Amino acid sequence: MTRTGDTDLTAQSTSEAHAEAAAAAGVQGLLFDDDLRPMPEDVGFRGPTACAAAGITYRQLDYWARTGLVSPSVRPATGSGTQRLYGFRDVLLLKVIKRLLDAGISLQQIRTAIAHLSKRGIDDLTQITLMSDGASVYMCTSPDEVIDLLAGGQGVFGIALGGVWREVEGSLSELPTERADGHDDGDQHANDELAARRRARMTG
């Protein structure tokens, strides 16, 4: 478990231990072991699309980009008329920020948490649950860590990044994409892939 600002990270436990510990604590669904795969790195989403998927305003998006909280990783703005393109991971982080803001977490704490999340790999992100006591944000990588926080009275709420991933994936499957090189020949393919993943999970 890592409180944002700390540097030591605990190793992930097995998926079986995840399920057993989560069930024992009554926090089912906080950690996921699904096949959550990222989109191609050269496919992105314009600002308005990223806003729609994350549930934020364009003003927030622009401010967070200018202050370095979440910058468009597929294609940054390089001049007048250039469209920024946000990758799937960017939109995921935007959604997490929105959740933390709605929970009353300070922007300073959020910046620290996002800085830690940004350093982690995609596969690692899906195994993280963010917990907070309203003042600090904790990064848990196993249900045991979630249980420890709940037992200590520190966990007021939790955000499972695997769950947020699912939501973002579902939202983006209905929205337009764009390739970094400006070509649109891969747009429909990316949307079809997201939609197919969503349908596969819904049908079991």
Side-chain angles (χ1 to χ4, degrees):
M1 172 176 53
T2 302
R3 186 171 74 177
T4 54
D6 297 342
T7 56
D8 292 333
L9 301 174
T10 58
Q12 297 178 8
S13 61
T14 65
S15 58
E16 290 81 6
H18 283 180
E20 290 178 7
V27 290
Q28 294 93 332
L30 279 182
L31 293 120
F32 292 85
D33 195 28
D34 293 342
D35 179 20
L36 299 175
R37 295 167 297 164
M39 290 180 58
E41 294 183 358
D42 65 338
V43 174
F45 307 89
R46 293 193 177 194
T49 301
C51 289
I56 62 174
T57 66
Y58 194 85
R59 183 176 181 180
Q60 287 175 310
L61 181 79
D62 185 59
Y63 176 69
W64 296 343
R66 287 188 288 107
T67 57
L69 182 56
V70 177
S71 301
S73 61
V74 177
R75 187 174 67 205
T78 56
S80 178
T82 303
Q83 289 287 343
R84 292 179 292 196
L85 286 183
Y86 288 82
F88 183 91
R89 179 195 179 101
D90 303 330
V91 181
L92 178 71
L93 293 179
L94 291 171
K95 184 83 168 181
V96 169
I97 293 169
K98 177 65 163 57
R99 290 279 183 86
L100 292 172
L101 284 174
D102 289 347
I105 306 301
S106 71
L107 193 57
Q108 180 180 0
Q109 277 288 334
I110 291 173
R111 286 187 181 278
T112 304
I114 294 301
H116 278 276
L117 290 177
S118 297
K119 296 175 182 177
R120 304 182 76 113
I122 283 288
D123 292 339
D124 210 13
L125 284 179
T126 63
Q127 298 299 322
I128 294 174
T129 293
L130 295 180
M131 300 291 292
S132 178
D133 55 8
S136 298
V137 179
Y138 304 83
M139 293 169 51
C140 300
T141 56
S142 77
D144 289 339
E145 295 174 356
V146 174
I147 293 169
D148 288 343
L149 278 175
L150 293 173
Q154 294 168 295
V156 175
F157 72 93
I159 302 174
L161 297 199
V164 178
W165 184 298
R166 282 178 167 178
E167 292 180 29
V168 171
E169 193 175 77
S171 298
L172 290 177
S173 67
E174 309 295 331
L175 297 170
T177 63
E178 184 174 321
R179 291 174 63 97
D181 58 11
H183 296 159
D184 59 4
D185 56 347
D187 296 1
Q188 190 58 48
H189 172 72
N191 280 340
D192 288 347
E193 183 179 352
L194 285 171
R197 294 182 200 174
R198 186 183 184 188
R199 286 194 301 270
R201 277 198 291 272
M202 291 177 65
T203 58

